[in-house]
Amino acid sequence: MTPSSITVAFIGLGTMGFPMAGHLSQQGYQVVVYNRTDATAKKWLAKYQGKQAFTPAEAASQADVILSCVGNDQDLQQVYLGEQGIIGAAKPGSILVDHTTASAEIASELDSAAKAHQLEFLDAPVSGGEAGAVNGCLTVMVGGEQSTLSKVAAVFDCYAKAVNLIGPVGYGQRCKMVNQLCITGILQGLSEALKLAEATKLDINKVVEVLQHGAAGSWQLSNRASSMTANEFDFGFAIDWMRKDLAICFDEADKLGVALPLAKQVDNEYAKLQQRGYSRADTSVLIKQFDDEQR
């Protein structure tokens, strides 16, 4: 089948969903969008080709593939299982894909509901941030069946550079938890390293140039070190959202008896930064924990 013969519904046009749905439209898919805030859907339609639905059910009823990227577990329960939700309206045989970062439990709940209605489901959280969504180079971590993933691989290719099946439903979300914990630790180490570099009068750009190709190299070092030292923290993924993701990690770790001391330390620092008015700053604002006035 060609993209023009496939209708894709996209539920949630936030920081990530807006450009992801845009890539689908640009690649020739018939796209139906739903967003809780009507003005955002109108803004999307002004930029891309597609149709607007006014409930998740209306969007789902028209689609072969239904994608979602919303805020949290509660949002997912509403858009999938609510009175005007996806599950009750989707055509049998449709494929449901959730790109939200949420719990493994909600993924299993949605999978069970989907199977009861002859639908297929994948939990498929993404990594790469706003820039990755805009540039169509996200990483997708998938939980579900390979046979289902194969059916939507071309859809994922519109906005992803890497797509990997991790395991059964729920394993995509668990892999995303690991991803967020890695980012948390790297940002703490980078924050401390940059403060030392600053104190010793090192040229940060030269430091990045030297280190990024060695053992200390990371995406955060290459993309955030200079902006962190320039006091710039407006790069999309807010600490409000990171704390939401870390809460999911802590809940999963508690169930498994796994200690996460560094992540809990960083989460505490993020809580202090929220109190200082940095809720919507991106996660690299962690370096401001070392501000002189806060010591």
Side-chain angles (χ1 to χ4, degrees), residues 4-248:
S4 62
S5 67
I6 300 171
T7 299
V8 179
F10 207 106
I11 312 299
L13 300 175
T15 300
M16 305 294 286
F18 192 103
M20 291 167 71
H23 288 301
L24 292 166
S25 176
Q26 290 173 331
Q27 292 300 314
Y29 287 93
Q30 301 297 310
V31 181
V32 182
V33 297
Y34 166 78
N35 194 71
R36 186 164 49 190
T37 304
D38 181 71
T40 303
K42 295 290 195 295
K43 181 180 178 182
W44 188 92
L45 289 167
K47 186 172 183 179
Y48 301 108
Q49 288 290 114
K51 297 194 300 182
Q52 180 181 5
F54 295 93
T55 66
E58 182 187 348
S61 68
Q62 304 174 53
D64 307 296
V65 179
I66 299 112
L67 310 175
S68 58
C69 191
V70 294
N72 53 38
D73 285 23
Q74 290 85 354
D75 294 331
L76 286 171
Q77 287 176 328
Q78 181 179 3
V79 299
Y80 275 90
L81 304 173
E83 187 176 342
Q84 293 294 320
I86 293 166
I87 296 287
K91 297 176 292 186
S94 298
I95 299 174
L96 316 181
V97 178
D98 179 39
H99 287 308
T100 309
T101 297
S103 71
E105 285 73 22
I106 189 66
S108 296
E109 181 180 350
L110 297 180
D111 181 53
S112 295
K115 287 176 178 175
H117 286 76
Q118 298 178 285
L119 308 168
E120 297 178 65
F121 178 80
L122 299 172
D123 66 296
V126 298
S127 180
E130 182 178 8
V134 169
N135 294 320
C137 58
L138 293 167
T139 294
V140 187
M141 298 153 256
V142 185
E145 297 293 332
Q146 180 62 58
S147 58
T148 304
L149 175 56
S150 296
K151 295 174 186 176
V152 293
V155 172
F156 286 177
D157 286 344
C158 293
Y159 46 78
K161 67 175 180 180
V163 179
N164 290 280
L165 182 68
I166 307 301
V169 165
Y171 276 64
Q173 294 296 352
R174 292 184 175 101
C175 186
K176 182 61 183 289
M177 294 174 204
V178 174
N179 183 83
Q180 300 306 75
L181 291 171
C182 288
I183 292 172
T184 298
I186 290 168
L187 281 171
Q188 179 65 20
L190 182 58
S191 296
E192 294 180 13
L194 290 176
K195 294 308 292 186
L196 178 63
E198 184 181 79
T200 55
K201 310 299 183 185
L202 284 168
D203 183 317
I204 297 301
N205 291 327
K206 288 183 179 179
V207 169
V208 172
E209 184 179 347
V210 170
L211 298 185
Q212 65 183 344
H213 302 297
S218 70
W219 187 96
Q220 298 292 341
L221 174 73
S222 298
N223 291 275
R224 292 290 176 265
S226 296
S227 57
M228 288 165 76
T229 55
N231 215 37
E232 297 171 355
F233 308 107
D234 187 21
F235 295 97
F237 191 68
I239 63 174
D240 278 353
W241 292 111
M242 178 57 96
R243 292 205 69 213
K244 182 268 290 185
D245 292 356
L246 287 175
I248 295 170

